[in-house]
Amino acid sequence: PAAYLQGLSSLLPGTTYYYCAIAVNPYGQSFGEILSFTTQPAAPTGMPGGEMAGKRRSGAADVEPVSTLAAGELHVVVLRGTARKPLAGAAVAIVGSKATAPKTTDAKGMASIKIDPSASHTVLAVSHQGISYTTAQLTGFARSGLRLTFVVYDRTTSSAGLKLGPGTHWLVNVTEEHLGVMQMLNIVNETDKLFDPGPAGFALPLPSGVVAAEVSTEQGAIARLDEKKQNLLLMAPIPPGRMSVTVTFELAYREAAIDFRQRMPLTTTETLVALDNNKEAEISGPSVAGRRQVSGTDASMPIFGLSPVQAGGTLEFTISNLPARDQRPMFVALGMAVLIALWAIVAARGASKH
């Protein structure tokens, strides 16, 4: 056996990628085991909660050890909005089993908390307009203090500033009597406020006729499905900037064509749809703006561009020339692996244009 190493870049957060090794020699080619990995879910700046994302990141806070601070001393700085202005009056406290009474930030957005340097399971939270921004479990304060910087946002319940931005794309794998669909949604908050979806979440309807819908467990804090699995619910507050959510599902078909309808509560900009595992299948209809063919080493696939839709509108198109009987390879997962590899080519070409 031979060891191999392949670096990857521009991966989407909270997304499962499939891959396998392919050995080629003059006698043919051989495929290795199909494996997968899932990237960490999106954690935009200011996102309440989350896990340690680096030496200087803990949940919603940037953390810096400060040798001039005494052990167990936490110096908290709270900044407001995209302008990063100091916020006075924010509540700061240790939460959980060792909760402390909250302190309030001063005119410079600062507050100090003293804790036992030997304490464990310490989590600090900043509250602003009913939203709690928390750290992961803090460490590193046994010998010196820490400076924690939070960026918080004014809260809004209006979704008018949200849209599905560039990078939103759907991968469609054609199998017998079913379409396997992976929707990768790039949600953009164009405002300077944090969108609060509320306890019920913000609903993104899935297409009519969906079955076997799933959201990866890694995205559980960000999104989930409703009880009937007909809506994707955004559960986490969305700060200014961009976050990605992925949902997979199946659509059954009996004839050689299937009509696709999906109501869009958010304005869409640039949405791409890739078809795999069927050279004859085509997409047409009122929402289709264009088509191009993308080729890789051993396969190619058509990419269809969808026209922008205003919030409340509907994406409508028909996928035709579907197989009446199963003429597809047994290894559907391998087909999806090739599809994702080809999508990487599309992304790379798009990046080279900017």
Side-chain angles (χ1 to χ4, degrees), residues 134-149:
T134 64
T135 67
Q137 291 185 15
L138 294 173
T139 59
F141 51 79
R143 296 185 178 180
S144 65
L146 301 176
R147 178 181 290 115
L148 299 95
T149 303

Side-chain angles (χ1 to χ4, degrees), residues 40-62:
Q40 292 295 316
T45 301
M47 188 76 166
E51 296 299 326
M52 203 73 162
K55 292 181 179 180
R56 293 191 47 158
R57 188 76 180 168
S58 178
D62 285 320

Side-chain angles (χ1 to χ4, degrees), residues 170-172 174 272-283 290-295 299-305 339 342-343 346:
W170 307 344
L171 308 179
V172 181
V174 181
L272 300 178
V273 180
L275 277 179
D276 181 57
N277 213 22
N278 189 296
K279 295 181 179 179
E280 293 77 29
E282 288 290 333
I283 297 180
R291 179 192 192 280
R292 58 191 169 117
Q293 194 77 18
V294 177
S295 299
S300 65
M301 66 178 177
I303 303 291
F304 297 84
L339 178 58
L342 285 170
W343 184 261
V346 176

Side-chain angles (χ1 to χ4, degrees), residues 24-352:
V24 180
N25 62 25
Y27 300 98
Q29 62 182 10
S30 177
F31 294 88
E33 180 183 1
I34 298 173
L35 303 173
S36 68
F37 65 91
T38 301
T39 55
Q40 292 295 316
T45 301
M47 188 76 166
E51 296 299 326
M52 203 73 162
K55 292 181 179 180
R56 293 191 47 158
R57 188 76 180 168
S58 178
D62 285 320
V63 181
E64 179 183 3
V66 181
S67 60
T68 57
L69 294 177
E73 187 173 349
L74 305 180
H75 185 82
V76 181
V77 179
V78 181
L79 305 177
R80 182 182 187 182
T82 54
R84 304 294 193 264
K85 293 184 178 180
L87 175 65
V92 180
I94 300 297
V95 296
S97 60
K98 300 181 180 180
T100 61
K103 292 193 174 183
T104 303
T105 55
D106 60 20
K108 295 182 179 181
M110 299 179 180
S112 293
I113 292 180
K114 181 70 174 179
I115 61 175
D116 182 355
S118 63
S120 59
H121 306 291
T122 299
V123 175
L124 188 140
V126 170
S127 298
H128 176 59
Q129 294 190 350
I131 300 293
S132 181
Y133 299 76
T134 64
T135 67
Q137 291 185 15
L138 294 173
T139 59
F141 51 79
R143 296 185 178 180
S144 65
L146 301 176
R147 178 181 290 115
L148 299 95
T149 303
F150 290 81
V151 178
V152 302
Y153 300 93
D154 290 347
R155 172 180 168 273
T156 181
T157 57
S158 170
S159 63
L162 301 182
K163 70 177 184 181
L164 294 180
T168 294
H169 56 280
W170 307 344
L171 308 179
V172 181
N173 187 269
V174 181
T175 62
E176 183 184 15
E177 298 185 346
H178 286 86
L179 301 178
V181 182
M182 177 185 294
Q183 288 190 340
M184 303 179 184
L185 309 177
N186 237 1
I187 301 167
V188 180
N189 181 353
E190 297 183 314
T191 74
D192 61 353
K193 298 181 184 298
L194 180 139
F195 171 70
D196 182 6
F202 180 79
L204 297 173
L206 298 178
S208 304
V210 157
V211 296
E214 291 185 5
V215 176
S216 65
T217 56
E218 290 84 358
Q219 297 182 121
I222 298 174
R224 63 175 179 83
L225 296 169
D226 66 358
E227 290 185 2
K228 295 183 178 181
K229 294 190 175 182
Q230 298 299 303
N231 293 277
L232 177 67
L233 302 178
L234 301 180
M235 303 304 299
I238 302 175
R242 183 176 73 172
M243 64 182 289
S244 297
V245 176
T246 301
V247 59
T248 60
F249 52 83
E250 293 183 359
L251 291 168
Y253 66 90
R254 297 291 183 183
E255 307 296 333
I258 181 173
D259 293 326
F260 185 101
R261 290 177 55 86
Q262 184 171 9
R263 188 176 67 82
M264 309 304 293
L266 301 179
T267 296
T268 69
T269 53
E270 177 184 303
T271 303
L272 300 178
V273 180
L275 277 179
D276 181 57
N277 213 22
N278 189 296
K279 295 181 179 179
E280 293 77 29
E282 288 290 333
I283 297 180
S284 60
S287 294
V288 179
R291 179 192 192 280
R292 58 191 169 117
Q293 194 77 18
V294 177
S295 299
T297 304
D298 299 310
S300 65
M301 66 178 177
I303 303 291
F304 297 84
L306 303 184
S307 301
V309 173
Q310 294 299 310
T314 302
L315 285 175
E316 299 181 72
F317 55 83
T318 298
I319 303 178
S320 57
N321 297 338
L322 297 172
R325 293 185 178 183
D326 184 20
Q327 300 174 350
R328 310 280 67 86
M330 294 178 61
F331 299 103
V332 175
L334 178 60
M336 187 63 77
V338 173
L339 178 58
I340 293 174
L342 285 170
W343 184 261
I345 296 173
V346 176
R349 289 179 179 176
S352 65

